[in-house]
Amino acid sequence: MTFRAKHLLGIEHLSSEDIKTLLDLAAHYVDLNRRDIKHNDALAGLTQVNMFFENSTRTQASFELAGKRLGADVMNMAMQASSIKKGETLIDTALTLNAMHPDLLVVRHPQSGAVNLLAEKVNCAVLNAGDGRHEHPTQALLDALTIQRAKGRLHRLSIAICGDIAHSRVARSNIFLLGKMENRVRLVGPPTLMPAGVADWGVEVYGDMAEGLRDVDVVMMLRLQRERMDGAFIPSEREYYHRFGLDAAKLKVAKDDAIVMHPGPMNRGVEIDGTLADDINRSVIQEQVEMGVAVRMAAMDLLARNLRTSRQPEGVLV
Ligand code: ASP
């Protein structure tokens, strides 16, 4: 096993071997999750705390389920109701929590870099569940596992990531991961939604769906991240859907067996046509959700193994 990390803060600093280790273990957990009895004791005795400072449906639910299936004691902190509202800083909250001896801390925060900062202050394993527009590592891993299972491989594929790239942590983490696994990544969207410096990212950039989707194996759609926009980035949602919303007609230029992905939450009729999103012959959106639980089980299992190793007194072999 190569995975030696203490935290899972992003994809940027993982090696392709780390990614393979995570995905292999996640594949094992996909099988476990399909059985009647879905438990093992990989996290038995450990305490997992989920701190979500931003809304979440899928990610929080799947981290919670993942921890419970592995036997951890799982606590969801209601951050809306917590002392943060009373003006306590993120660091003070973290230190307070740290005093309760959690082993795994799952954190989502609206500010890029906040989770890295927190990881420096606590002595448990920290998992980034999405920080601002920076990274969302477990999303990229679950996307990778979905692609690998649908396409039979995770290299030399052509993958179009479309829409609001500028504000998307999902796009950033996927660009890192898919690049490390030697895929061709295309970004497709209006120039106003492309991040500054995108030319140096080792990707191809397109401003037009017909060109950007030509012959790709995978089409990954993104939500307009309105909560991260300060100003008008698109003329109107109607116009945006017309030019960049994915429907069956726009998908025609992709490979015949191209798959359609979306991290959720989806805005039907804005970035994707609802009928296409539900088309089980093209859309793997439900598989993404399934892979999410398995990937989070794998990530917490591997971090817990490293945590236990680091806590063993030197020279004692167990
Ligand atoms: N759920 C993903 C995220 O947290 C994508 C999105 O919100 O659009 O980044």
Side-chain angles (χ1 to χ4, degrees), residues 211-255:
E211 286 173 34
L213 299 197
R214 189 162 303 282
D215 295 327
V216 297
D217 299 286
V218 178
V219 183
M220 192 182 288
M221 299 309 299
L222 299 172
R223 180 177 67 89
L224 290 171
Q225 308 265 306
R226 294 251 181 230
E227 69 276 30
R228 286 182 236 293
M229 295 182 189
D230 50 2
F233 285 77
I234 55 163
S236 71
E237 284 189 353
R238 208 183 132 107
E239 169 76 8
Y240 182 78
Y241 182 65
H242 176 66
R243 293 200 51 206
F244 295 100
L246 185 69
D247 57 14
K250 290 199 190 80
L251 186 62
K252 276 212 165 76
V253 298
K255 287 203 180 132

mmCIF file of all heavy atoms in Angstrom, residues 211-255:
data_model
loop_
_atom_site.group_PDB
_atom_site.id
_atom_site.type_symbol
_atom_site.label_atom_id
_atom_site.label_comp_id
_atom_site.label_asym_id
_atom_site.label_seq_id
_atom_site.Cartn_x
_atom_site.Cartn_y
_atom_site.Cartn_z
ATOM 1 N N GLU A 211 -17.795 22.095 -30.773
ATOM 2 C CA GLU A 211 -16.361 21.774 -30.942
ATOM 3 C C GLU A 211 -15.831 21.020 -29.728
ATOM 4 O O GLU A 211 -15.095 20.044 -29.852
ATOM 5 C CB GLU A 211 -15.549 23.056 -31.106
ATOM 6 C CG GLU A 211 -15.706 23.704 -32.457
ATOM 7 C CD GLU A 211 -15.017 25.064 -32.483
ATOM 8 O OE1 GLU A 211 -13.980 25.214 -31.812
ATOM 9 O OE2 GLU A 211 -15.565 25.948 -33.154
ATOM 10 N N GLY A 212 -16.203 21.508 -28.558
ATOM 11 C CA GLY A 212 -15.639 20.945 -27.325
ATOM 12 C C GLY A 212 -16.047 19.505 -27.069
ATOM 13 O O GLY A 212 -15.288 18.736 -26.468
ATOM 14 N N LEU A 213 -17.231 19.129 -27.511
ATOM 15 C CA LEU A 213 -17.704 17.761 -27.222
ATOM 16 C C LEU A 213 -17.359 16.760 -28.320
ATOM 17 O O LEU A 213 -17.615 15.560 -28.158
ATOM 18 C CB LEU A 213 -19.226 17.754 -27.016
ATOM 19 C CG LEU A 213 -19.823 18.582 -25.880
ATOM 20 C CD1 LEU A 213 -21.245 18.125 -25.577
ATOM 21 C CD2 LEU A 213 -18.996 18.498 -24.610
ATOM 22 N N ARG A 214 -16.774 17.251 -29.403
ATOM 23 C CA ARG A 214 -16.529 16.345 -30.533
ATOM 24 C C ARG A 214 -15.652 15.158 -30.129
ATOM 25 O O ARG A 214 -14.563 15.320 -29.618
ATOM 26 C CB ARG A 214 -15.887 17.120 -31.707
ATOM 27 C CG ARG A 214 -15.797 16.300 -32.986
ATOM 28 C CD ARG A 214 -15.575 17.170 -34.213
ATOM 29 N NE ARG A 214 -16.611 18.201 -34.389
ATOM 30 C CZ ARG A 214 -17.834 17.984 -34.878
ATOM 31 N NH1 ARG A 214 -18.198 16.766 -35.243
ATOM 32 N NH2 ARG A 214 -18.693 18.974 -34.994
ATOM 33 N N ASP A 215 -16.195 13.959 -30.313
ATOM 34 C CA ASP A 215 -15.475 12.689 -30.088
ATOM 35 C C ASP A 215 -15.007 12.450 -28.650
ATOM 36 O O ASP A 215 -14.097 11.648 -28.433
ATOM 37 C CB ASP A 215 -14.271 12.574 -31.040
ATOM 38 C CG ASP A 215 -14.724 12.500 -32.480
ATOM 39 O OD1 ASP A 215 -15.807 11.932 -32.723
ATOM 40 O OD2 ASP A 215 -14.013 13.034 -33.349
ATOM 41 N N VAL A 216 -15.594 13.119 -27.687
ATOM 42 C CA VAL A 216 -15.165 12.844 -26.308
ATOM 43 C C VAL A 216 -15.818 11.554 -25.779
ATOM 44 O O VAL A 216 -16.860 11.111 -26.265
ATOM 45 C CB VAL A 216 -15.458 14.013 -25.320
ATOM 46 C CG1 VAL A 216 -14.679 15.258 -25.706
ATOM 47 C CG2 VAL A 216 -16.952 14.298 -25.207
ATOM 48 N N ASP A 217 -15.168 10.965 -24.761
ATOM 49 C CA ASP A 217 -15.684 9.745 -24.119
ATOM 50 C C ASP A 217 -16.589 10.071 -22.940
ATOM 51 O O ASP A 217 -17.433 9.270 -22.557
ATOM 52 C CB ASP A 217 -14.511 8.913 -23.563
ATOM 53 C CG ASP A 217 -13.552 8.478 -24.646
ATOM 54 O OD1 ASP A 217 -13.912 7.567 -25.402
ATOM 55 O OD2 ASP A 217 -12.455 9.065 -24.745
ATOM 56 N N VAL A 218 -16.341 11.227 -22.345
ATOM 57 C CA VAL A 218 -17.063 11.591 -21.115
ATOM 58 C C VAL A 218 -17.450 13.068 -21.186
ATOM 59 O O VAL A 218 -16.623 13.908 -21.557
ATOM 60 C CB VAL A 218 -16.160 11.383 -19.870
ATOM 61 C CG1 VAL A 218 -16.877 11.809 -18.590
ATOM 62 C CG2 VAL A 218 -15.698 9.921 -19.755
ATOM 63 N N VAL A 219 -18.700 13.372 -20.814
ATOM 64 C CA VAL A 219 -19.140 14.771 -20.713
ATOM 65 C C VAL A 219 -19.554 15.020 -19.262
ATOM 66 O O VAL A 219 -20.480 14.394 -18.758
ATOM 67 C CB VAL A 219 -20.337 15.074 -21.643
ATOM 68 C CG1 VAL A 219 -20.707 16.552 -21.561
ATOM 69 C CG2 VAL A 219 -20.041 14.670 -23.074
ATOM 70 N N MET A 220 -18.823 15.908 -18.610
ATOM 71 C CA MET A 220 -19.107 16.206 -17.205
ATOM 72 C C MET A 220 -19.694 17.615 -17.126
ATOM 73 O O MET A 220 -19.040 18.584 -17.502
ATOM 74 C CB MET A 220 -17.780 16.135 -16.438
ATOM 75 C CG MET A 220 -17.911 16.128 -14.950
ATOM 76 S SD MET A 220 -16.276 16.092 -14.174
ATOM 77 C CE MET A 220 -15.729 14.424 -14.495
ATOM 78 N N MET A 221 -20.948 17.716 -16.680
ATOM 79 C CA MET A 221 -21.598 19.029 -16.608
ATOM 80 C C MET A 221 -21.473 19.598 -15.192
ATOM 81 O O MET A 221 -21.445 18.865 -14.209
ATOM 82 C CB MET A 221 -23.090 18.904 -16.971
ATOM 83 C CG MET A 221 -23.359 18.386 -18.369
ATOM 84 S SD MET A 221 -22.470 19.273 -19.672
ATOM 85 C CE MET A 221 -23.122 20.934 -19.489
ATOM 86 N N LEU A 222 -21.417 20.925 -15.101
ATOM 87 C CA LEU A 222 -21.286 21.590 -13.798
ATOM 88 C C LEU A 222 -22.425 22.572 -13.588
ATOM 89 O O LEU A 222 -22.927 23.163 -14.544
ATOM 90 C CB LEU A 222 -19.966 22.363 -13.722
ATOM 91 C CG LEU A 222 -18.676 21.564 -13.852
ATOM 92 C CD1 LEU A 222 -17.493 22.524 -13.939
ATOM 93 C CD2 LEU A 222 -18.495 20.604 -12.675
ATOM 94 N N ARG A 223 -22.776 22.776 -12.337
ATOM 95 C CA ARG A 223 -23.805 23.760 -11.960
ATOM 96 C C ARG A 223 -23.209 25.167 -11.984
ATOM 97 O O ARG A 223 -22.027 25.346 -11.690
ATOM 98 C CB ARG A 223 -24.259 23.413 -10.537
ATOM 99 C CG ARG A 223 -25.323 24.284 -9.941
ATOM 100 C CD ARG A 223 -25.705 23.735 -8.554
ATOM 101 N NE ARG A 223 -24.610 23.856 -7.599
ATOM 102 C CZ ARG A 223 -24.390 24.918 -6.834
ATOM 103 N NH1 ARG A 223 -25.182 25.977 -6.904
ATOM 104 N NH2 ARG A 223 -23.379 24.939 -5.977
ATOM 105 N N LEU A 224 -24.052 26.148 -12.316
ATOM 106 C CA LEU A 224 -23.627 27.543 -12.160
ATOM 107 C C LEU A 224 -23.551 27.834 -10.663
ATOM 108 O O LEU A 224 -24.552 27.715 -9.961
ATOM 109 C CB LEU A 224 -24.644 28.501 -12.795
ATOM 110 C CG LEU A 224 -24.750 28.517 -14.313
ATOM 111 C CD1 LEU A 224 -25.944 29.359 -14.745
ATOM 112 C CD2 LEU A 224 -23.472 29.037 -14.953
ATOM 113 N N GLN A 225 -22.370 28.190 -10.162
ATOM 114 C CA GLN A 225 -22.186 28.375 -8.710
ATOM 115 C C GLN A 225 -22.560 29.808 -8.325
ATOM 116 O O GLN A 225 -21.698 30.628 -8.003
ATOM 117 C CB GLN A 225 -20.728 28.094 -8.339
ATOM 118 C CG GLN A 225 -20.214 26.760 -8.844
ATOM 119 C CD GLN A 225 -20.326 25.667 -7.810
ATOM 120 O OE1 GLN A 225 -19.837 25.810 -6.702
ATOM 121 N NE2 GLN A 225 -20.974 24.574 -8.175
ATOM 122 N N ARG A 226 -23.849 30.072 -8.355
ATOM 123 C CA ARG A 226 -24.348 31.432 -8.097
ATOM 124 C C ARG A 226 -23.837 31.987 -6.775
ATOM 125 O O ARG A 226 -23.583 33.182 -6.645
ATOM 126 C CB ARG A 226 -25.870 31.406 -8.058
ATOM 127 C CG ARG A 226 -26.483 31.055 -9.384
ATOM 128 C CD ARG A 226 -27.136 32.287 -9.963
ATOM 129 N NE ARG A 226 -27.755 31.994 -11.236
ATOM 130 C CZ ARG A 226 -27.551 32.711 -12.322
ATOM 131 N NH1 ARG A 226 -26.729 33.743 -12.301
ATOM 132 N NH2 ARG A 226 -28.152 32.430 -13.435
ATOM 133 N N GLU A 227 -23.722 31.119 -5.770
ATOM 134 C CA GLU A 227 -23.312 31.582 -4.440
ATOM 135 C C GLU A 227 -21.875 32.097 -4.430
ATOM 136 O O GLU A 227 -21.450 32.755 -3.483
ATOM 137 C CB GLU A 227 -23.511 30.476 -3.396
ATOM 138 C CG GLU A 227 -22.581 29.264 -3.489
ATOM 139 C CD GLU A 227 -23.025 28.178 -4.479
ATOM 140 O OE1 GLU A 227 -23.686 28.502 -5.491
ATOM 141 O OE2 GLU A 227 -22.671 27.002 -4.252
ATOM 142 N N ARG A 228 -21.104 31.777 -5.473
ATOM 143 C CA ARG A 228 -19.719 32.257 -5.521
ATOM 144 C C ARG A 228 -19.532 33.374 -6.549
ATOM 145 O O ARG A 228 -18.415 33.785 -6.840
ATOM 146 C CB ARG A 228 -18.769 31.089 -5.846
ATOM 147 C CG ARG A 228 -18.582 30.167 -4.686
ATOM 148 C CD ARG A 228 -17.603 29.040 -4.967
ATOM 149 N NE ARG A 228 -18.229 27.755 -4.743
ATOM 150 C CZ ARG A 228 -18.617 27.303 -3.556
ATOM 151 N NH1 ARG A 228 -18.424 28.017 -2.478
ATOM 152 N NH2 ARG A 228 -19.191 26.121 -3.447
ATOM 153 N N MET A 229 -20.637 33.835 -7.140
ATOM 154 C CA MET A 229 -20.525 34.880 -8.168
ATOM 155 C C MET A 229 -20.874 36.232 -7.564
ATOM 156 O O MET A 229 -21.875 36.341 -6.858
ATOM 157 C CB MET A 229 -21.510 34.613 -9.310
ATOM 158 C CG MET A 229 -21.237 33.358 -10.079
ATOM 159 S SD MET A 229 -22.448 33.201 -11.417
ATOM 160 C CE MET A 229 -22.084 31.544 -11.986
ATOM 161 N N ASP A 230 -20.057 37.232 -7.830
ATOM 162 C CA ASP A 230 -20.461 38.578 -7.421
ATOM 163 C C ASP A 230 -20.586 39.434 -8.676
ATOM 164 O O ASP A 230 -19.693 40.149 -9.056
ATOM 165 C CB ASP A 230 -19.491 39.189 -6.398
ATOM 166 C CG ASP A 230 -18.049 39.080 -6.848
ATOM 167 O OD1 ASP A 230 -17.826 38.569 -7.957
ATOM 168 O OD2 ASP A 230 -17.160 39.526 -6.110
ATOM 169 N N GLY A 231 -21.710 39.307 -9.323
ATOM 170 C CA GLY A 231 -21.930 40.043 -10.562
ATOM 171 C C GLY A 231 -22.568 39.132 -11.589
ATOM 172 O O GLY A 231 -22.865 37.979 -11.308
ATOM 173 N N ALA A 232 -22.752 39.647 -12.796
ATOM 174 C CA ALA A 232 -23.405 38.871 -13.851
ATOM 175 C C ALA A 232 -22.348 38.205 -14.728
ATOM 176 O O ALA A 232 -21.542 38.889 -15.340
ATOM 177 C CB ALA A 232 -24.293 39.793 -14.681
ATOM 178 N N PHE A 233 -22.365 36.909 -14.740
ATOM 179 C CA PHE A 233 -21.394 36.166 -15.551
ATOM 180 C C PHE A 233 -22.008 35.620 -16.831
ATOM 181 O O PHE A 233 -21.307 35.220 -17.738
ATOM 182 C CB PHE A 233 -20.790 35.018 -14.730
ATOM 183 C CG PHE A 233 -19.782 35.473 -13.713
ATOM 184 C CD1 PHE A 233 -20.184 36.071 -12.521
ATOM 185 C CD2 PHE A 233 -18.429 35.330 -13.947
ATOM 186 C CE1 PHE A 233 -19.261 36.501 -11.588
ATOM 187 C CE2 PHE A 233 -17.488 35.755 -13.022
ATOM 188 C CZ PHE A 233 -17.907 36.343 -11.834
ATOM 189 N N ILE A 234 -23.359 35.555 -16.857
ATOM 190 C CA ILE A 234 -24.053 35.082 -18.066
ATOM 191 C C ILE A 234 -25.189 36.054 -18.375
ATOM 192 O O ILE A 234 -25.735 36.676 -17.461
ATOM 193 C CB ILE A 234 -24.622 33.659 -17.880
ATOM 194 C CG1 ILE A 234 -25.535 33.579 -16.638
ATOM 195 C CG2 ILE A 234 -23.508 32.628 -17.790
ATOM 196 C CD1 ILE A 234 -26.441 32.378 -16.613
ATOM 197 N N PRO A 235 -25.558 36.197 -19.653
ATOM 198 C CA PRO A 235 -26.634 37.126 -20.008
ATOM 199 C C PRO A 235 -27.962 36.725 -19.345
ATOM 200 O O PRO A 235 -28.625 37.545 -18.733
ATOM 201 C CB PRO A 235 -26.730 37.020 -21.532
ATOM 202 C CG PRO A 235 -25.588 36.190 -21.998
ATOM 203 C CD PRO A 235 -24.971 35.510 -20.823
ATOM 204 N N SER A 236 -28.348 35.445 -19.469
ATOM 205 C CA SER A 236 -29.567 34.939 -18.815
ATOM 206 C C SER A 236 -29.473 33.422 -18.798
ATOM 207 O O SER A 236 -28.721 32.827 -19.575
ATOM 208 C CB SER A 236 -30.823 35.355 -19.589
ATOM 209 O OG SER A 236 -30.875 34.629 -20.804
ATOM 210 N N GLU A 237 -30.256 32.783 -17.920
ATOM 211 C CA GLU A 237 -30.211 31.316 -17.847
ATOM 212 C C GLU A 237 -30.723 30.704 -19.141
ATOM 213 O O GLU A 237 -30.254 29.657 -19.578
ATOM 214 C CB GLU A 237 -31.056 30.825 -16.649
ATOM 215 C CG GLU A 237 -30.326 31.045 -15.344
ATOM 216 C CD GLU A 237 -30.992 30.409 -14.136
ATOM 217 O OE1 GLU A 237 -32.119 29.881 -14.263
ATOM 218 O OE2 GLU A 237 -30.368 30.452 -13.061
ATOM 219 N N ARG A 238 -31.691 31.370 -19.744
ATOM 220 C CA ARG A 238 -32.260 30.879 -21.001
ATOM 221 C C ARG A 238 -31.207 30.849 -22.102
ATOM 222 O O ARG A 238 -31.030 29.855 -22.805
ATOM 223 C CB ARG A 238 -33.383 31.845 -21.378
ATOM 224 C CG ARG A 238 -34.481 31.269 -22.182
ATOM 225 C CD ARG A 238 -35.433 32.416 -22.492
ATOM 226 N NE ARG A 238 -35.729 32.360 -23.920
ATOM 227 C CZ ARG A 238 -36.895 31.967 -24.378
ATOM 228 N NH1 ARG A 238 -37.847 31.641 -23.551
ATOM 229 N NH2 ARG A 238 -37.123 31.914 -25.670
ATOM 230 N N GLU A 239 -30.497 31.932 -22.202
ATOM 231 C CA GLU A 239 -29.429 32.059 -23.205
ATOM 232 C C GLU A 239 -28.313 31.044 -22.910
ATOM 233 O O GLU A 239 -27.759 30.392 -23.804
ATOM 234 C CB GLU A 239 -28.894 33.502 -23.147
ATOM 235 C CG GLU A 239 -27.617 33.789 -23.917
ATOM 236 C CD GLU A 239 -27.848 33.889 -25.421
ATOM 237 O OE1 GLU A 239 -29.018 33.884 -25.835
ATOM 238 O OE2 GLU A 239 -26.837 33.932 -26.156
ATOM 239 N N TYR A 240 -28.002 30.900 -21.630
ATOM 240 C CA TYR A 240 -26.945 29.964 -21.213
ATOM 241 C C TYR A 240 -27.334 28.533 -21.609
ATOM 242 O O TYR A 240 -26.529 27.776 -22.154
ATOM 243 C CB TYR A 240 -26.735 30.067 -19.701
ATOM 244 C CG TYR A 240 -25.632 29.166 -19.180
ATOM 245 C CD1 TYR A 240 -24.292 29.503 -19.317
ATOM 246 C CD2 TYR A 240 -25.940 27.956 -18.569
ATOM 247 C CE1 TYR A 240 -23.283 28.664 -18.853
ATOM 248 C CE2 TYR A 240 -24.945 27.115 -18.097
ATOM 249 C CZ TYR A 240 -23.617 27.475 -18.244
ATOM 250 O OH TYR A 240 -22.629 26.640 -17.801
ATOM 251 N N TYR A 241 -28.591 28.167 -21.329
ATOM 252 C CA TYR A 241 -29.044 26.810 -21.667
ATOM 253 C C TYR A 241 -28.961 26.590 -23.176
ATOM 254 O O TYR A 241 -28.541 25.525 -23.640
ATOM 255 C CB TYR A 241 -30.478 26.596 -21.173
ATOM 256 C CG TYR A 241 -30.978 25.200 -21.463
ATOM 257 C CD1 TYR A 241 -30.383 24.096 -20.855
ATOM 258 C CD2 TYR A 241 -32.034 24.970 -22.349
ATOM 259 C CE1 TYR A 241 -30.814 22.803 -21.124
ATOM 260 C CE2 TYR A 241 -32.478 23.681 -22.619
ATOM 261 C CZ TYR A 241 -31.858 22.608 -22.003
ATOM 262 O OH TYR A 241 -32.286 21.333 -22.275
ATOM 263 N N HIS A 242 -29.352 27.592 -23.908
ATOM 264 C CA HIS A 242 -29.328 27.495 -25.359
ATOM 265 C C HIS A 242 -27.914 27.203 -25.869
ATOM 266 O O HIS A 242 -27.710 26.335 -26.706
ATOM 267 C CB HIS A 242 -29.873 28.810 -25.938
ATOM 268 C CG HIS A 242 -29.804 28.874 -27.428
ATOM 269 N ND1 HIS A 242 -30.552 28.040 -28.232
ATOM 270 C CD2 HIS A 242 -29.056 29.648 -28.254
ATOM 271 C CE1 HIS A 242 -30.277 28.298 -29.497
ATOM 272 N NE2 HIS A 242 -29.371 29.267 -29.537
ATOM 273 N N ARG A 243 -26.923 27.877 -25.311
ATOM 274 C CA ARG A 243 -25.548 27.722 -25.814
ATOM 275 C C ARG A 243 -24.766 26.614 -25.116
ATOM 276 O O ARG A 243 -23.970 25.919 -25.731
ATOM 277 C CB ARG A 243 -24.787 29.058 -25.666
ATOM 278 C CG ARG A 243 -25.351 30.145 -26.583
ATOM 279 C CD ARG A 243 -24.357 31.241 -26.808
ATOM 280 N NE ARG A 243 -23.053 30.757 -27.222
ATOM 281 C CZ ARG A 243 -21.917 31.402 -27.015
ATOM 282 N NH1 ARG A 243 -21.922 32.565 -26.411
ATOM 283 N NH2 ARG A 243 -20.771 30.903 -27.430
ATOM 284 N N PHE A 244 -24.975 26.458 -23.803
ATOM 285 C CA PHE A 244 -24.111 25.537 -23.046
ATOM 286 C C PHE A 244 -24.859 24.429 -22.300
ATOM 287 O O PHE A 244 -24.227 23.558 -21.697
ATOM 288 C CB PHE A 244 -23.240 26.330 -22.064
ATOM 289 C CG PHE A 244 -22.276 27.239 -22.773
ATOM 290 C CD1 PHE A 244 -22.552 28.590 -22.905
ATOM 291 C CD2 PHE A 244 -21.117 26.732 -23.333
ATOM 292 C CE1 PHE A 244 -21.680 29.424 -23.587
ATOM 293 C CE2 PHE A 244 -20.236 27.555 -24.016
ATOM 294 C CZ PHE A 244 -20.510 28.906 -24.145
ATOM 295 N N GLY A 245 -26.175 24.455 -22.317
ATOM 296 C CA GLY A 245 -26.933 23.392 -21.651
ATOM 297 C C GLY A 245 -26.812 22.106 -22.468
ATOM 298 O O GLY A 245 -26.931 22.127 -23.697
ATOM 299 N N LEU A 246 -26.570 20.986 -21.779
ATOM 300 C CA LEU A 246 -26.407 19.724 -22.505
ATOM 301 C C LEU A 246 -27.771 19.091 -22.761
ATOM 302 O O LEU A 246 -28.557 18.893 -21.840
ATOM 303 C CB LEU A 246 -25.530 18.756 -21.698
ATOM 304 C CG LEU A 246 -25.191 17.450 -22.422
ATOM 305 C CD1 LEU A 246 -24.257 17.700 -23.602
ATOM 306 C CD2 LEU A 246 -24.564 16.435 -21.466
ATOM 307 N N ASP A 247 -28.021 18.767 -24.041
ATOM 308 C CA ASP A 247 -29.212 17.997 -24.397
ATOM 309 C C ASP A 247 -28.794 16.947 -25.424
ATOM 310 O O ASP A 247 -27.620 16.895 -25.824
ATOM 311 C CB ASP A 247 -30.338 18.909 -24.922
ATOM 312 C CG ASP A 247 -29.911 19.737 -26.122
ATOM 313 O OD1 ASP A 247 -28.847 19.416 -26.717
ATOM 314 O OD2 ASP A 247 -30.609 20.691 -26.472
ATOM 315 N N ALA A 248 -29.745 16.120 -25.839
ATOM 316 C CA ALA A 248 -29.413 15.009 -26.745
ATOM 317 C C ALA A 248 -28.797 15.525 -28.051
ATOM 318 O O ALA A 248 -27.876 14.901 -28.598
ATOM 319 C CB ALA A 248 -30.664 14.194 -27.022
ATOM 320 N N ALA A 249 -29.271 16.655 -28.537
ATOM 321 C CA ALA A 249 -28.753 17.180 -29.809
ATOM 322 C C ALA A 249 -27.284 17.572 -29.670
ATOM 323 O O ALA A 249 -26.447 17.227 -30.525
ATOM 324 C CB ALA A 249 -29.591 18.389 -30.242
ATOM 325 N N LYS A 250 -26.923 18.256 -28.601
ATOM 326 C CA LYS A 250 -25.515 18.682 -28.424
ATOM 327 C C LYS A 250 -24.614 17.471 -28.174
ATOM 328 O O LYS A 250 -23.450 17.455 -28.552
ATOM 329 C CB LYS A 250 -25.383 19.679 -27.277
ATOM 330 C CG LYS A 250 -25.995 21.051 -27.571
ATOM 331 C CD LYS A 250 -25.420 22.088 -26.613
ATOM 332 C CE LYS A 250 -26.147 23.417 -26.685
ATOM 333 N NZ LYS A 250 -27.430 23.428 -25.931
ATOM 334 N N LEU A 251 -25.185 16.433 -27.542
ATOM 335 C CA LEU A 251 -24.380 15.247 -27.209
ATOM 336 C C LEU A 251 -24.033 14.431 -28.469
ATOM 337 O O LEU A 251 -23.079 13.642 -28.449
ATOM 338 C CB LEU A 251 -25.159 14.377 -26.201
ATOM 339 C CG LEU A 251 -24.443 13.174 -25.618
ATOM 340 C CD1 LEU A 251 -23.206 13.604 -24.803
ATOM 341 C CD2 LEU A 251 -25.381 12.356 -24.725
ATOM 342 N N LYS A 252 -24.743 14.652 -29.545
ATOM 343 C CA LYS A 252 -24.552 13.849 -30.771
ATOM 344 C C LYS A 252 -23.124 13.854 -31.292
ATOM 345 O O LYS A 252 -22.673 12.877 -31.889
ATOM 346 C CB LYS A 252 -25.509 14.336 -31.867
ATOM 347 C CG LYS A 252 -26.888 13.734 -31.787
ATOM 348 C CD LYS A 252 -27.504 13.595 -33.192
ATOM 349 C CE LYS A 252 -28.713 12.673 -33.168
ATOM 350 N NZ LYS A 252 -29.890 13.330 -32.600
ATOM 351 N N VAL A 253 -22.401 14.952 -31.088
ATOM 352 C CA VAL A 253 -21.036 15.036 -31.642
ATOM 353 C C VAL A 253 -20.021 14.244 -30.797
ATOM 354 O O VAL A 253 -18.908 13.974 -31.239
ATOM 355 C CB VAL A 253 -20.540 16.503 -31.787
ATOM 356 C CG1 VAL A 253 -21.414 17.274 -32.750
ATOM 357 C CG2 VAL A 253 -20.467 17.191 -30.429
ATOM 358 N N ALA A 254 -20.411 13.886 -29.581
ATOM 359 C CA ALA A 254 -19.518 13.073 -28.736
ATOM 360 C C ALA A 254 -19.520 11.642 -29.272
ATOM 361 O O ALA A 254 -20.295 11.301 -30.163
ATOM 362 C CB ALA A 254 -20.005 13.102 -27.286
ATOM 363 N N LYS A 255 -18.641 10.780 -28.707
ATOM 364 C CA LYS A 255 -18.640 9.377 -29.139
ATOM 365 C C LYS A 255 -20.013 8.757 -28.874
ATOM 366 O O LYS A 255 -20.714 9.175 -27.941
ATOM 367 C CB LYS A 255 -17.574 8.595 -28.380
ATOM 368 C CG LYS A 255 -16.174 8.930 -28.852
ATOM 369 C CD LYS A 255 -15.212 7.802 -28.530
ATOM 370 C CE LYS A 255 -13.824 8.172 -29.020
ATOM 371 N NZ LYS A 255 -12.793 7.940 -28.022
#
